[in-house]
Protein backbone atom coordinates (compact mmCIF):
# COMPACT_ATOMS: atom_id res chain seq x y z
CA UNK A 1 0.00 0.00 0.00
CA UNK A 2 0.94 3.71 -0.30
CA UNK A 3 -0.53 6.80 1.53
CA UNK A 4 0.07 10.35 0.26
CA UNK A 5 0.34 13.63 2.33
CA UNK A 6 -3.40 14.09 2.23
CA UNK A 7 -3.84 10.68 3.78
CA UNK A 8 -5.06 8.97 0.65
CA UNK A 9 -4.03 5.32 0.50
CA UNK A 10 -3.51 3.17 -2.55
CA UNK A 11 -3.25 -0.63 -2.44
CA UNK A 12 -1.62 -1.73 -5.68
CA UNK A 13 -1.94 -5.46 -6.60
CA UNK A 14 -1.34 -7.74 -9.54
CA UNK A 15 -2.26 -11.36 -10.53
CA UNK A 16 -0.72 -13.91 -12.85
CA UNK A 17 -2.31 -17.33 -13.50
CA UNK A 18 -0.37 -20.60 -13.98
CA UNK A 19 -1.76 -23.91 -15.21
CA UNK A 20 -0.89 -27.41 -16.31
CA UNK A 21 -2.61 -30.24 -18.09
CA UNK A 22 -2.64 -33.54 -16.27
CA UNK A 23 -1.98 -36.08 -19.02
CA UNK A 24 -3.56 -39.51 -18.50
CA UNK A 25 -2.29 -41.78 -21.29
CA UNK A 26 -4.29 -45.02 -21.46
CA UNK A 27 -4.73 -47.68 -24.11
CA UNK A 28 -7.23 -50.50 -24.61
CA UNK A 29 -7.09 -53.64 -26.78
CA UNK A 30 -10.00 -55.91 -27.69
CA UNK A 31 -8.97 -59.19 -29.34
CA UNK A 32 -11.41 -61.70 -30.90
CA UNK A 33 -11.08 -64.91 -32.93
CA UNK A 34 -12.70 -64.79 -36.38
CA UNK A 35 -14.01 -67.69 -38.49
CA UNK A 36 -15.87 -66.28 -41.48
CA UNK A 37 -19.04 -64.66 -40.11
CA UNK A 38 -18.47 -65.93 -36.57
CA UNK A 39 -16.26 -64.02 -34.15
CA UNK A 40 -15.73 -63.88 -30.43
CA UNK A 41 -14.10 -65.84 -27.64
CA UNK A 42 -14.58 -69.56 -27.02
CA UNK A 43 -16.15 -70.29 -30.40
CA UNK A 44 -16.01 -73.74 -31.98
CA UNK A 45 -13.98 -74.07 -35.19
CA UNK A 46 -13.38 -77.17 -37.30
CA UNK A 47 -9.72 -78.13 -37.10
CA UNK A 48 -7.67 -77.32 -40.19
CA UNK A 49 -9.77 -74.32 -41.19
CA UNK A 50 -8.15 -70.94 -41.90
CA UNK A 51 -8.87 -68.45 -39.12
CA UNK A 52 -7.89 -64.91 -38.16
CA UNK A 53 -7.68 -62.74 -35.09
CA UNK A 54 -8.87 -59.13 -34.97
CA UNK A 55 -7.18 -56.69 -32.59
CA UNK A 56 -8.98 -53.37 -32.04
CA UNK A 57 -6.97 -50.70 -30.19
CA UNK A 58 -8.62 -47.63 -28.66
CA UNK A 59 -7.49 -44.64 -26.58
CA UNK A 60 -9.14 -44.46 -23.14
CA UNK A 61 -6.95 -41.62 -21.90
CA UNK A 62 -6.96 -37.89 -22.59
CA UNK A 63 -3.92 -37.49 -24.84
CA UNK A 64 -3.05 -38.80 -28.28
CA UNK A 65 -0.63 -41.73 -28.31
CA UNK A 66 2.17 -42.47 -30.72
CA UNK A 67 4.29 -45.53 -31.46
CA UNK A 68 1.36 -47.95 -31.34
CA UNK A 69 2.51 -51.57 -31.33
CA UNK A 70 0.49 -54.80 -31.20
CA UNK A 71 1.93 -58.27 -30.54
CA UNK A 72 0.65 -61.80 -29.87
CA UNK A 73 2.12 -64.18 -27.29
CA UNK A 74 1.80 -67.25 -29.57
CA UNK A 75 4.00 -65.92 -32.31
CA UNK A 76 1.13 -64.84 -34.55
CA UNK A 77 2.29 -62.17 -36.99
CA UNK A 78 0.10 -59.12 -36.33
CA UNK A 79 -0.21 -56.54 -39.12
CA UNK A 80 -2.07 -53.21 -39.26
CA UNK A 81 -5.05 -52.85 -41.57
CA UNK A 82 -3.86 -50.01 -43.80
CA UNK A 83 -5.52 -47.46 -46.03
CA UNK A 84 -3.29 -45.00 -47.85
CA UNK A 85 -0.32 -46.03 -45.73
CA UNK A 86 -2.14 -45.29 -42.45
CA UNK A 87 -4.09 -47.54 -40.11
CA UNK A 88 -7.69 -47.80 -41.28
CA UNK A 89 -8.76 -46.32 -37.93
CA UNK A 90 -6.46 -43.28 -38.16
CA UNK A 91 -9.21 -41.00 -39.45
CA UNK A 92 -7.09 -37.83 -39.64
CA UNK A 93 -4.02 -39.78 -40.79
CA UNK A 94 -1.67 -38.05 -38.35
CA UNK A 95 0.00 -41.28 -37.22
CA UNK A 96 -1.31 -40.85 -33.66
CA UNK A 97 -4.02 -42.79 -31.86
CA UNK A 98 -6.41 -39.98 -31.05
CA UNK A 99 -9.10 -40.12 -28.38
CA UNK A 100 -11.97 -41.02 -30.68
CA UNK A 101 -10.10 -43.42 -32.94
CA UNK A 102 -10.08 -47.23 -33.07
CA UNK A 103 -7.14 -48.79 -34.86
CA UNK A 104 -7.44 -52.30 -36.32
CA UNK A 105 -4.85 -55.07 -36.65
CA UNK A 106 -5.11 -58.65 -37.99
CA UNK A 107 -3.31 -61.96 -37.55
CA UNK A 108 -3.97 -65.20 -39.43
CA UNK A 109 -3.51 -68.93 -38.80
CA UNK A 110 -5.00 -72.40 -39.10
CA UNK A 111 -7.28 -73.90 -36.45
CA UNK A 112 -5.61 -76.62 -34.41
CA UNK A 113 -7.21 -79.43 -32.42
CA UNK A 114 -8.61 -78.81 -28.94
CA UNK A 115 -8.54 -75.74 -26.71
CA UNK A 116 -6.41 -72.84 -27.89
CA UNK A 117 -5.82 -69.39 -26.40
CA UNK A 118 -3.54 -66.51 -27.32
CA UNK A 119 -3.06 -63.06 -25.81
CA UNK A 120 -2.82 -59.79 -27.69
CA UNK A 121 -0.83 -56.87 -26.25
CA UNK A 122 -1.10 -53.22 -27.31
CA UNK A 123 1.24 -50.43 -26.25
CA UNK A 124 1.84 -46.77 -27.08
CA UNK A 125 3.71 -43.78 -25.69
CA UNK A 126 3.24 -40.17 -24.57
CA UNK A 127 5.96 -37.69 -23.58
CA UNK A 128 5.20 -34.57 -21.49
CA UNK A 129 6.89 -31.17 -21.68
CA UNK A 130 9.52 -32.18 -19.15
CA UNK A 131 10.53 -35.12 -21.31
CA UNK A 132 8.93 -37.72 -19.08
CA UNK A 133 7.53 -40.61 -21.11
CA UNK A 134 4.69 -42.96 -20.25
CA UNK A 135 4.15 -46.25 -22.13
CA UNK A 136 0.61 -47.46 -21.45
CA UNK A 137 -0.07 -51.13 -22.20
CA UNK A 138 -3.07 -53.42 -22.23
CA UNK A 139 -3.67 -57.12 -22.92
CA UNK A 140 -6.67 -59.21 -23.97
CA UNK A 141 -6.89 -62.99 -24.50
CA UNK A 142 -9.02 -64.80 -27.05
CA UNK A 143 -9.73 -68.50 -27.40
CA UNK A 144 -11.41 -71.13 -29.53
CA UNK A 145 -12.05 -74.87 -29.47
CA UNK A 146 -10.66 -76.78 -32.45
CA UNK A 147 -13.27 -79.46 -33.17
CA UNK A 148 -11.99 -82.74 -34.64
CA UNK A 149 -14.99 -84.98 -35.44
CA UNK A 150 -13.45 -88.36 -36.26
CA UNK A 151 -14.31 -92.07 -36.03
CA UNK A 152 -12.59 -95.38 -36.75
CA UNK A 153 -14.13 -98.69 -37.83
CA UNK A 154 -12.74 -102.13 -36.97
CA UNK A 155 -14.45 -104.96 -38.85
CA UNK A 156 -13.72 -108.66 -38.32
CA UNK A 157 -14.96 -112.00 -39.66
CA UNK A 158 -15.22 -114.59 -36.87
CA UNK A 159 -12.78 -112.43 -34.91
CA UNK A 160 -10.21 -112.29 -37.74
CA UNK A 161 -9.30 -109.29 -39.90
CA UNK A 162 -7.97 -111.08 -42.96
CA UNK A 163 -6.98 -114.56 -44.09
CA UNK A 164 -9.65 -116.62 -42.34
CA UNK A 165 -10.00 -120.16 -43.75
CA UNK A 166 -13.40 -121.72 -43.21
CA UNK A 167 -15.45 -124.61 -44.57
CA UNK A 168 -18.36 -123.88 -46.84
CA UNK A 169 -21.65 -123.80 -44.94
CA UNK A 170 -20.19 -122.91 -41.55
CA UNK A 171 -21.69 -119.95 -39.63
CA UNK A 172 -20.00 -116.58 -40.04
CA UNK A 173 -20.26 -113.63 -37.65
CA UNK A 174 -19.11 -110.18 -38.69
CA UNK A 175 -18.43 -107.66 -35.94
CA UNK A 176 -18.15 -103.91 -36.43
CA UNK A 177 -16.66 -101.64 -33.74
CA UNK A 178 -17.10 -97.89 -34.25
CA UNK A 179 -14.91 -95.71 -32.04
CA UNK A 180 -14.98 -91.95 -31.51
CA UNK A 181 -11.30 -91.01 -31.49
CA UNK A 182 -12.03 -87.32 -32.08
CA UNK A 183 -12.88 -84.67 -29.48
CA UNK A 184 -16.61 -83.98 -29.93
CA UNK A 185 -19.67 -86.15 -29.31
CA UNK A 186 -21.37 -87.51 -32.44
CA UNK A 187 -24.92 -88.60 -33.17
CA UNK A 188 -26.76 -91.06 -35.42
CA UNK A 189 -24.14 -93.75 -36.03
CA UNK A 190 -24.90 -95.76 -39.18
CA UNK A 191 -22.95 -98.85 -40.29
CA UNK A 192 -23.39 -100.17 -43.84
CA UNK A 193 -21.97 -103.41 -45.30
CA UNK A 194 -21.68 -103.85 -49.08
CA UNK A 195 -22.54 -107.57 -48.72
CA UNK A 196 -19.44 -108.51 -50.69
CA UNK A 197 -20.91 -106.96 -53.83
CA UNK A 198 -19.86 -103.30 -54.08
CA UNK A 199 -22.06 -101.25 -56.35
CA UNK A 200 -24.81 -103.87 -56.68
CA UNK A 201 -27.30 -102.25 -54.31
CA UNK A 202 -27.78 -105.14 -51.89
CA UNK A 203 -26.09 -103.41 -48.95
CA UNK A 204 -27.31 -104.10 -45.43
CA UNK A 205 -27.04 -102.48 -42.01
CA UNK A 206 -25.59 -104.67 -39.24
CA UNK A 207 -27.65 -104.74 -36.05
CA UNK A 208 -26.55 -102.81 -32.99
CA UNK A 209 -25.62 -104.92 -29.96
CA UNK A 210 -27.92 -103.47 -27.30
CA UNK A 211 -27.91 -103.24 -23.53
CA UNK A 212 -30.84 -101.62 -21.76
CA UNK A 213 -32.14 -100.25 -25.04
CA UNK A 214 -28.84 -98.51 -25.86
CA UNK A 215 -25.81 -99.63 -27.79
CA UNK A 216 -23.67 -101.72 -25.44
CA UNK A 217 -20.81 -99.28 -25.96
CA UNK A 218 -22.89 -96.24 -24.95
CA UNK A 219 -21.43 -96.07 -21.44
CA UNK A 220 -23.57 -93.17 -20.19
CA UNK A 221 -26.61 -94.19 -22.27
CA UNK A 222 -27.16 -90.71 -23.68
CA UNK A 223 -27.59 -91.84 -27.29
CA UNK A 224 -24.42 -90.04 -28.39
CA UNK A 225 -21.14 -91.59 -29.48
CA UNK A 226 -19.07 -89.72 -26.93
CA UNK A 227 -15.33 -89.19 -27.11
CA UNK A 228 -13.55 -92.47 -26.36
CA UNK A 229 -16.67 -94.67 -26.66
CA UNK A 230 -16.75 -97.71 -28.96
CA UNK A 231 -20.14 -98.87 -30.21
CA UNK A 232 -20.69 -102.47 -31.32
CA UNK A 233 -22.61 -103.97 -34.24
CA UNK A 234 -22.81 -107.44 -35.78
CA UNK A 235 -24.27 -109.48 -38.62
CA UNK A 236 -24.35 -113.21 -39.30
CA UNK A 237 -24.29 -115.39 -42.37
CA UNK A 238 -23.12 -118.69 -43.85
CA UNK A 239 -19.71 -119.24 -45.43
CA UNK A 240 -19.73 -119.45 -49.20
CA UNK A 241 -17.32 -121.40 -51.36
CA UNK A 242 -14.32 -119.39 -52.48
CA UNK A 243 -12.96 -116.00 -51.57
CA UNK A 244 -15.30 -113.50 -49.96
CA UNK A 245 -14.54 -109.88 -49.05
CA UNK A 246 -17.08 -107.44 -47.67
CA UNK A 247 -16.46 -103.77 -47.01
CA UNK A 248 -18.15 -101.73 -44.30
CA UNK A 249 -18.60 -98.00 -43.86
CA UNK A 250 -19.51 -96.15 -40.67
CA UNK A 251 -20.85 -92.60 -40.64
CA UNK A 252 -22.45 -90.17 -38.20
CA UNK A 253 -24.38 -86.97 -38.56
CA UNK A 254 -22.26 -83.99 -39.52
CA UNK A 255 -20.71 -81.85 -36.80
CA UNK A 256 -21.31 -78.11 -37.30
CA UNK A 257 -19.10 -75.42 -35.78
CA UNK A 258 -20.07 -71.91 -34.64
CA UNK A 259 -19.64 -70.46 -38.13
CA UNK A 260 -21.93 -73.11 -39.63
CA UNK A 261 -19.17 -75.15 -41.27
CA UNK A 262 -19.92 -78.89 -41.25
CA UNK A 263 -17.87 -82.07 -41.42
CA UNK A 264 -19.25 -85.61 -41.65
CA UNK A 265 -17.05 -88.29 -40.05
CA UNK A 266 -16.69 -91.51 -42.04
CA UNK A 267 -14.55 -94.64 -41.75
CA UNK A 268 -14.21 -97.85 -43.76
CA UNK A 269 -12.78 -101.30 -43.11
CA UNK A 270 -12.95 -104.74 -44.70
CA UNK A 271 -12.46 -108.35 -43.69
CA UNK A 272 -12.43 -111.56 -45.68
CA UNK A 273 -12.41 -115.32 -45.65
CA UNK A 274 -11.63 -118.22 -47.97
CA UNK A 275 -14.37 -120.82 -48.11
CA UNK A 276 -13.28 -124.42 -48.74
CA UNK A 277 -15.34 -127.42 -49.67
CA UNK A 278 -16.01 -129.93 -46.90
CA UNK A 279 -17.07 -132.65 -49.33
CA UNK A 280 -15.21 -135.98 -49.65
CA UNK A 281 -13.24 -136.45 -52.86
CA UNK A 282 -13.92 -139.48 -55.05
CA UNK A 283 -11.39 -141.55 -56.96
CA UNK A 284 -10.15 -139.74 -60.02
CA UNK A 285 -10.71 -136.24 -58.63
CA UNK A 286 -7.07 -135.12 -58.47
CA UNK A 287 -6.27 -136.59 -61.85
CA UNK A 288 -9.13 -134.73 -63.50
CA UNK A 289 -8.69 -131.46 -61.56
CA UNK A 290 -5.04 -130.58 -62.02
CA UNK A 291 -5.91 -126.92 -61.48
CA UNK A 292 -6.40 -127.81 -57.82
CA UNK A 293 -2.74 -128.65 -57.32
CA UNK A 294 -0.66 -127.24 -60.17
CA UNK A 295 0.19 -124.15 -58.02
CA UNK A 296 -0.43 -121.81 -60.93
CA UNK A 297 -2.03 -118.53 -59.75
CA UNK A 298 -5.60 -118.28 -60.95
CA UNK A 299 -6.05 -122.04 -61.39
CA UNK A 300 -8.25 -122.33 -58.35
CA UNK A 301 -11.68 -122.54 -59.87
CA UNK A 302 -12.62 -126.11 -58.93
CA UNK A 303 -14.86 -126.87 -55.93
CA UNK A 304 -11.97 -127.46 -53.48
CA UNK A 305 -10.14 -124.24 -54.30
CA UNK A 306 -6.37 -124.62 -54.25
CA UNK A 307 -5.08 -127.80 -52.65
CA UNK A 308 -1.73 -126.09 -52.19
CA UNK A 309 -3.30 -123.12 -50.42
CA UNK A 310 -5.38 -125.34 -48.16
CA UNK A 311 -2.34 -127.39 -47.14
CA UNK A 312 -3.44 -130.68 -48.67
CA UNK A 313 -0.45 -130.48 -51.01
CA UNK A 314 2.82 -128.60 -50.68
CA UNK A 315 4.59 -126.79 -53.47
CA UNK A 316 7.14 -129.63 -53.58
CA UNK A 317 4.39 -132.11 -54.40
CA UNK A 318 2.84 -130.35 -57.36
CA UNK A 319 3.65 -130.61 -61.05
CA UNK A 320 5.01 -134.19 -60.78
CA UNK A 321 6.11 -134.14 -64.40
CA UNK A 322 9.81 -134.96 -64.06
CA UNK A 323 11.01 -138.50 -63.36
CA UNK A 324 13.72 -138.78 -60.72
CA UNK A 325 16.41 -141.09 -62.23
CA UNK A 326 17.64 -141.94 -58.73
CA UNK A 327 14.50 -143.97 -58.09
CA UNK A 328 14.92 -146.91 -60.42
CA UNK A 329 11.70 -148.47 -61.60
CA UNK A 330 9.49 -145.59 -60.43
CA UNK A 331 8.27 -142.83 -62.73
CA UNK A 332 7.42 -139.87 -60.44
CA UNK A 333 5.74 -138.03 -63.28
CA UNK A 334 2.83 -140.44 -62.97
CA UNK A 335 2.30 -140.07 -59.22
CA UNK A 336 0.94 -137.47 -56.78
CA UNK A 337 2.16 -137.23 -53.18
CA UNK A 338 -0.58 -136.56 -50.62
CA UNK A 339 -0.25 -135.94 -46.87
CA UNK A 340 3.32 -134.62 -47.09
CA UNK A 341 3.29 -133.13 -43.56
CA UNK A 342 6.90 -131.93 -43.61
CA UNK A 343 6.58 -130.59 -47.17
CA UNK A 344 9.84 -132.12 -48.36
CA UNK A 345 8.38 -133.99 -51.33
CA UNK A 346 9.58 -137.37 -50.02
CA UNK A 347 7.65 -140.42 -48.89
CA UNK A 348 9.05 -140.28 -45.36
CA UNK A 349 6.00 -139.36 -43.24
CA UNK A 350 3.67 -141.74 -41.42
CA UNK A 351 0.69 -140.42 -43.34
CA UNK A 352 2.13 -140.10 -46.85
CA UNK A 353 0.03 -141.35 -49.69
CA UNK A 354 1.86 -141.73 -52.98
CA UNK A 355 -0.81 -142.39 -55.53
CA UNK A 356 -0.75 -142.64 -59.28
CA UNK A 357 -2.35 -139.78 -61.15
CA UNK A 358 -4.51 -142.23 -63.02
CA UNK A 359 -6.09 -143.31 -59.73
CA UNK A 360 -5.97 -139.95 -57.95
Amino acid sequence: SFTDDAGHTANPSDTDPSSYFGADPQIKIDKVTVDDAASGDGISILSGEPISWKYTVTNLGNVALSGINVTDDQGVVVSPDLVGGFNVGDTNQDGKLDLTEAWVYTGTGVAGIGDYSNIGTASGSFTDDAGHTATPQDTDPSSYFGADPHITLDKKTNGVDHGLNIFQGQPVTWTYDVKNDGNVALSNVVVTDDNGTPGIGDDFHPAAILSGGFNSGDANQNGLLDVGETWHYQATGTAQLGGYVNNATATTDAYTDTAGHSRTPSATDSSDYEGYSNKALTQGFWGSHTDAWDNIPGNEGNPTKSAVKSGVLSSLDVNPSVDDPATVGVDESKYLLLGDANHNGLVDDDHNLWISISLA
Side-chain angles (χ1 to χ4, degrees), residues 81-92:
D81 292 6
L82 299 178
V83 172
F86 293 88
N87 194 289
V88 66
D90 189 1
T91 55
N92 59 2

Side-chain angles (χ1 to χ4, degrees), residues 101-225:
E101 293 179 343
W103 288 18
V104 181
Y105 297 77
T106 301
T108 60
V110 176
I113 297 175
D115 291 316
Y116 178 90
S117 178
N118 52 351
I119 301 173
T121 300
S123 62
S125 66
F126 171 80
T127 301
D128 66 13
D129 293 337
H132 304 142
T133 299
T135 55
Q137 178 177 292
D138 189 37
T139 61
D140 188 35
S142 182
S143 62
Y144 70 84
F145 176 76
D148 180 35
H150 195 272
I151 59 174
T152 61
L153 173 62
D154 184 22
K155 175 182 176 292
K156 288 183 170 61
T157 303
N158 286 4
V160 177
D161 281 318
H162 301 287
L164 173 69
N165 294 324
I166 189 171
F167 281 124
Q168 176 188 11
Q170 285 191 316
V172 176
T173 298
W174 294 281
T175 56
Y176 313 77
D177 291 337
V178 183
K179 181 178 182 179
N180 183 341
D181 63 344
N183 63 359
V184 290
L186 301 169
S187 61
N188 192 29
V189 179
V190 176
V191 179
T192 305
D193 191 302
D194 70 358
N195 205 21
T197 53
I200 298 301
D202 58 350
D203 299 354
F204 66 88
H205 299 295
I209 300 176
L210 300 179
S211 175
F214 294 87
N215 193 290
S216 59
D218 189 0
N220 57 3
Q221 296 190 338
N222 66 348
L224 296 175
L225 180 61

Side-chain angles (χ1 to χ4, degrees), residues 164-168 239-244 273-277 303-305:
L164 173 69
N165 294 324
I166 189 171
F167 281 124
Q168 176 188 11
Q240 304 175 10
L241 185 65
Y244 181 88
Y273 67 79
E274 187 79 16
Y276 293 97
S277 172
T304 66
K305 301 302 292 179

